[in-house]
Amino acid sequence: MSAFDDAIDALHESIAEWNRGAVPGTISRCAVCFDAAAKEGDSRAAVGAAVARGLAGDHEGARRRLLEATARWPDAAGAYVALGMLGLRSPDVLAQAAEASWALTAARSLAPSVGCIERSLAVALAAQGEFMGALQCARAALAIDPDDEEARLWSALLRLYFGGDITSASVLIELPTEALLRGRSTAIWLGAVAGNYARGEFHEARVSLRKCIGVFKQGATPEKPLVDSARRWFRELRGFGAGVPMTGERWVRDVGGAQSEYVRTRSALSAFRDAIVQSGHRCPSDVVTVLDIDGALGAMEARARRGMLEYGARLMVRGFAEAYLPMVACLEPPPMEMLAAMGLVRLDG
Amino acid sequence: MPWHAAASPIEIPRAPIDRETESALQLGRYVPLFGWGATEDEARRVVALVSRAWSTEADPGAIDCLSVMLLHPTLGTRPMAYLSEAIQSGSAPATWGKVALAAAGLLGAGDALRAEFGEPMLDCPALRPDALRTVAVGGAERYTFPEGFARLCAAEKELAGTRDAEAFTALRAWFELVLARRWSAHDTLREIRLESLPAADAWLVSAGLFLVGDDGAKGRMTEYASLALEGLQTVAPRALPTLARELAELVAQPWARRWDHLRCAAAKDHAAAAVRAWLSAALYETHEEGTEHETLGPEMTRAAKEARALVGGFLLDWFVQDREARSRVDHWAGDVLRIYHRLHGASMLGSALDEVIG
């Protein structure tokens, strides 16, 4: 058996034994075997060696190796996929999101119509704050595989916070039950927290949060940041409130209250409108007309609504990525389809 | 003999401006203000120069020529630095510094030149408020309004509790209302008692209120401009008609200016206020989902910190997307600030005249 095959076996063994991280002995053996195979000039082995180091916690070393691999084999998608995947598994995922998006966009160009690449790109773009692009990628991933629960999660989140579509909350609530049956970790309950809260089901949202973070030991140092991050996001979710911006009773609070700049600018425009009407011909019509003011009022409201959804997504979707992705990286090994996209599977028929 | 004959004719701009004067100015063959040192004669010479430039028989370009003489290409700001040291050591009265600052304002020096000229005077405690006005109230020249605003905020904080505090609050609020289109500043300006402010500051506040259509603001502008120019009629007779013309241009199109200002206000990023509202609501959310975890500190998520960093700045409120309206309001604000410095210079010079020329 070749060194590459040994390495693949060790990698798969490591994934099978995954327990909040790779087993150190197995993943070290995997890295050594990949190193040996990489000496023969195999690009997949070079990627594998970097991935093994990344899974062992050496993110910077893995990143350096992968950047070298992309320079050496620019036409191979594997290194780009690995760079994107490790970026999204990094502890500071928001800082790595731009590089992950870049790498996954390159991977998608080299290997189009691969569901896991589209889905990862959706996640990376959402973490970066490019919500429209993220939504398009999530939809592309769902077109390839309608049962992809991760793509459904991100698509629903983006529709809820960026699109202002409250109906997507039900998707977020129903998702964990299905996903757990398919072997996903309890981290997926964090999506249900968003869905419950958006629908005003505050008790259910708390229950979902407990289900999400309940697997972690209380006060355990390595896991405490993951728990705190989820709790912080939940606190901000409570500040954001139920529903979507500028609807129903939220309107005045969302624009900053009755004395906000928005409300006062509207009042000033209305006062100006009245002054023009009363002035008769003293205000020349080539300067401003009542119609101009009505147009300005309409445009201001439309811009404020759109902007508020954008800010809401910045706060809630990016915050979700910050809390959810490190939790997934801890509880779940990389999916097998991602390893296949990197060429880290044995092709023995 | 007229009192302004104290100035040697060689050192002042001639009327009419000839080629010899122009080349002398270009080559630096002139003595800048206070270039002969911090002496009484020099203070009188500065007044004489200003008076000659604003006299009825002066060449229209004399004011620009004298503006060049504020600084010297070789000496730079050294004459002003020496004057500042002399005032600090007590060997020169603060009035001479006032005369220098007044000259820069009255001549309508641009932001950069005025700031460079006034900078050394910041070290004189007696002149600091006036020097701060000279240095910090500006931004129209290179559209550095946010920088001017930041300096004004710092000045307001520094002068809190002094008798100039209210004036600097008014200046800061003027920037906020006119350039950042913040209505809370409108309330501040309306609450300020104009009688308690120096005439130029009160004029600036009235100009801000004129822009947003307050009743009677135009009349108050005229009133405070006359007050600021009081006492200067005999020294600089041409100042009054010149400023009257500039003031008339400023108030010529009230509907158009108000509409431009409102367009800018409507084009602001009003959604940004939501982030602050959501995050401050989040901080009040103390009820935890259970008691099994330690209490969370006030630290926010990185996403929240980054979203909050995007909002609330002067730059965000000033630099709105409606470029056409913003540019017109900026130009108007620039004109207002130039007149403000003229009026402030005029009232400073008016108050210093008795002491300098007796």
Side-chain angles (χ1 to χ4, degrees):
Chain A
M1 208 157 62
S2 69
F4 183 76
D5 290 339
D6 281 343
I8 294 288
D9 283 347
L11 181 63
H12 288 195
E13 193 183 327
S14 174
I15 285 170
E17 291 170 358
W18 188 273
N19 183 17
R20 297 182 191 187
V23 177
T26 324
I27 201 76
S28 300
R29 181 158 55 83
C30 171
V32 169
C33 292
F34 271 131
D35 281 344
K39 280 180 189 155
E40 293 159 19
D42 187 341
S43 68
R44 292 177 306 155
V47 171
V51 168
R53 281 169 175 80
L55 294 179
D58 178 13
H59 285 274
E60 197 43 51
R63 182 177 167 271
R64 186 174 40 77
R65 281 166 178 262
L66 287 169
L67 287 172
E68 282 167 14
T70 55
R72 194 167 166 199
W73 296 286
D75 294 333
Y80 294 106
V81 176
L83 198 55
M85 184 198 77
L86 289 179
L88 293 178
R89 294 179 73 88
S90 119
D92 192 359
V93 66
L94 295 191
Q96 300 296 323
E99 188 174 77
S101 306
W102 161 78
L104 289 162
T105 306
R108 187 179 60 175
S109 302
L110 294 166
S113 302
V114 178
C116 65
I117 296 179
E118 289 285 1
R119 175 222 304 152
S120 302
L121 183 53
V123 178
L125 288 170
Q128 197 191 344
E130 298 291 337
F131 304 115
M132 187 53 82
L135 191 56
Q136 284 166 350
C137 290
R139 285 184 174 168
L142 282 173
I144 295 165
D145 177 8
D147 295 329
D148 185 335
E149 70 271 0
E150 192 71 8
R152 282 170 67 198
L153 168 73
W154 286 95
S155 167
L157 263 180
L158 287 159
R159 273 168 51 210
L160 174 62
Y161 291 119
F162 184 64
D165 175 11
I166 193 75
T167 60
S168 58
S170 57
V171 178
L172 292 168
I173 295 167
E174 289 158 12
L175 204 56
T177 321
E178 287 175 46
L180 289 169
L181 288 174
R182 295 173 71 159
R184 294 294 308 273
S185 71
T186 55
I188 197 94
W189 277 107
L190 202 61
V193 177
N196 284 134
Y197 215 90
R199 293 211 308 202
E201 299 161 356
F202 307 122
H203 174 70
E204 287 82 352
R206 287 200 177 90
V207 172
S208 298
L209 182 69
R210 274 198 214 118
K211 284 179 183 168
C212 172
I213 58 176
V215 293
F216 296 109
K217 280 183 204 159
Q218 286 170 42
T221 313
E223 293 165 359
K224 195 171 181 296
L226 301 177
V227 174
D228 283 354
S229 187
R231 290 170 69 206
R232 274 197 192 96
W233 174 76
F234 184 56
R235 182 168 63 187
E236 282 154 20
L237 178 67
R238 286 187 291 165
F240 180 79
V244 290
M246 288 186 91
T247 50
E249 291 169 5
R250 291 187 55 133
W251 190 86
V252 174
R253 190 179 76 109
D254 284 335
V255 295
Q259 285 300 309
S260 66
E261 292 293 315
Y262 179 84
V263 174
R264 293 193 65 178
T265 304
R266 280 190 74 92
S267 308
L269 279 164
S270 302
F272 188 51
R273 191 182 190 281
D274 294 344
I276 287 173
V277 171
Q278 284 164 15
S279 74
H281 296 293
R282 276 190 294 131
C283 174
S285 59
D286 60 334
V287 172
V288 56
T289 62
V290 169
L291 273 179
D292 291 332
I293 297 174
D294 291 343
L297 279 164
M300 182 170 84
E301 184 169 339
R303 231 184 352 255
R305 279 180 189 277
R306 184 62 259 161
M308 221 161 266
L309 286 169
E310 176 83 32
Y311 278 114
R314 278 198 167 273
L315 198 65
M316 300 312 350
V317 177
R318 292 188 82 225
F320 180 84
E322 188 181 343
Y324 172 74
L325 293 174
M327 222 184 278
V328 171
C330 170
L331 295 174
E332 297 176 21
M336 200 53 85
E337 51 185 334
M338 285 299 272
L339 297 179
M342 295 174 216
L344 300 181
V345 284
R346 195 184 291 168
L347 301 171
D348 55 4
Chain B
M1 189 172 75
W3 61 269
H4 55 65
S8 155
I10 301 161
E11 296 161 14
I12 60 172
R14 291 178 188 173
I17 304 294
D18 53 18
R19 198 175 294 166
E20 194 189 334
T21 312
E22 258 186 43
S23 80
L25 288 170
Q26 278 168 10
L27 296 169
R29 285 208 311 268
Y30 61 85
V31 181
L33 304 197
F34 286 96
W36 292 113
T39 63
E40 192 171 357
D41 284 350
E42 192 59 1
R44 289 170 68 86
R45 185 179 74 99
V46 172
V47 176
L49 286 170
V50 172
S51 172
R52 181 68 67 91
W54 283 101
S55 69
T56 43
E57 67 272 17
D59 187 283
I63 296 162
D64 292 337
C65 289
L66 191 53
S67 298
V68 174
M69 290 175 72
L70 289 172
L71 295 177
H72 192 271
T74 316
L75 294 172
T77 55
R78 252 179 285 169
M80 288 302 284
Y82 290 140
L83 176 63
S84 170
E85 278 171 27
I87 294 170
Q88 285 175 71
S89 67
S91 59
T95 322
W96 297 354
K98 236 179 194 184
V99 167
L101 292 176
L106 191 56
L107 291 169
D111 286 342
L113 177 61
R114 206 179 52 242
E116 199 181 350
F117 186 76
E119 194 86 30
M121 288 298 151
L122 288 171
D123 299 330
C124 302
L127 291 171
R128 192 160 171 86
D130 286 325
L132 279 170
R133 281 184 181 88
T134 304
V135 172
V137 182
E141 207 173 66
R142 290 179 194 275
Y143 296 106
T144 52
F145 290 118
E147 287 171 28
F149 180 72
R151 281 199 295 261
L152 266 178
C153 289
E156 187 191 3
K157 210 175 275 179
E158 181 194 322
L159 296 172
T162 68
R163 65 194 172 98
D164 288 292
E166 197 177 20
F168 275 82
T169 302
L171 294 173
R172 193 256 308 146
W174 184 88
F175 264 69
E176 284 200 62
L177 175 64
V178 173
L179 295 160
R181 281 57 82 161
R182 294 178 183 163
W183 300 104
S184 55
H186 187 207
D187 299 340
T188 310
L189 290 181
R190 285 168 95 165
E191 280 162 15
I192 284 173
R193 285 184 309 109
L194 294 182
E195 313 83 66
S196 64
L197 298 181
D201 293 347
W203 177 85
L204 190 73
V205 171
S206 306
L209 295 175
F210 164 78
L211 181 67
V212 294
D214 272 22
D215 293 335
K218 192 171 160 183
R220 285 197 297 276
M221 282 172 78
T222 316
E223 186 188 324
Y224 286 110
S226 321
L227 202 64
L229 291 166
E230 215 176 50
L232 211 67
Q233 188 58 25
T234 49
V235 187
R238 203 154 57 90
L240 201 59
T242 309
L243 272 164
R245 198 174 54 245
E246 288 181 357
L247 280 168
E249 280 170 21
L250 209 61
V251 297
Q253 294 176 302
W255 294 99
R257 292 295 81 79
R258 189 175 167 192
W259 173 228
D260 287 335
H261 185 257
L262 282 170
R263 271 172 67 184
C264 292
K268 266 170 58 167
D269 186 359
H270 291 285
V275 175
R276 285 189 176 272
W278 296 331
L279 289 177
S280 58
L283 285 179
Y284 286 110
E285 289 285 347
T286 49
H287 179 68
E288 274 287 338
E289 70 284 350
T291 50
E292 67 269 32
H293 293 288
E294 289 171 31
T295 312
L296 271 180
E299 200 193 340
M300 294 181 286
T301 60
R302 185 187 173 124
K305 281 185 217 162
E306 287 179 7
R308 200 179 60 167
L310 287 175
V311 307
F314 182 89
L315 185 66
L316 188 77
D317 288 346
W318 166 61
F319 203 75
V320 292
Q321 280 186 3
D322 192 339
R323 229 168 98 178
E324 204 184 321
R326 175 169 55 83
S327 153
R328 282 202 291 261
V329 175
D330 285 354
H331 274 113
W332 187 85
D335 291 344
V336 170
L337 290 178
R338 201 180 58 248
I339 296 176
Y340 164 76
H341 282 291
R342 283 203 203 281
L343 292 176
H344 184 239
S347 57
M348 270 201 293
L349 193 62
S351 67
L353 270 182
D354 281 350
E355 205 176 313
V356 176
I357 60 171

